[in-house]
Amino acid sequence: MDVRISGNASDESRGKVSSRCGERQDEWRRISIMDRWECTVCGYIYDPEEGDPVGDIDPGTPFEDLPDDWVCPQCGATKDLFEKLA
């Protein structure tokens, strides 16, 4: 299917817009499919969309990418004491 865009935008600028849109869609897709994890000790929920401000973890960080020494900000439990929520 051939789609033509009318207007004054150059082919180069249209490519940049398309590229940025694709990158943003990939980012949203990655964030939206990240799993939340629950601490089995205290019930704290790690939500990747929020990150962990106490532990200096940026929003958008999947649980799997947390540092090995990261602990629950509420009770200090280690990562191995968290379970993935369905």
Side-chain angles (χ1 to χ4, degrees):
M1 179 165 121
D2 186 20
V3 176
R4 299 194 184 268
I5 300 173
S6 62
N8 294 330
S10 68
D11 288 339
E12 183 179 338
S13 67
R14 282 195 300 267
K16 288 179 184 175
V17 169
S18 176
S19 175
R20 284 194 308 264
C21 290
E23 290 169 8
R24 184 162 307 268
Q25 287 175 343
D26 289 344
E27 180 181 349
W28 281 108
R29 188 176 302 114
R30 180 180 57 82
I31 290 173
S32 66
I33 62 171
M34 287 189 292
D35 296 311
R36 296 176 350 147
W37 291 72
E38 181 177 14
C39 177
T40 60
V41 176
C42 72
Y44 169 80
I45 305 292
Y46 175 75
D47 185 344
E49 291 185 27
E50 297 175 10
D52 173 19
V54 173
D56 200 28
I57 305 296
D58 292 331
T61 304
F63 185 82
E64 294 83 2
D65 291 349
L66 293 174
D68 291 335
D69 61 350
W70 180 83
V71 295
C72 175
Q74 287 187 355
C75 72
T78 55
K79 283 177 63 174
D80 62 322
L81 295 173
F82 278 71
E83 292 182 348
K84 186 187 301 189
L85 294 175

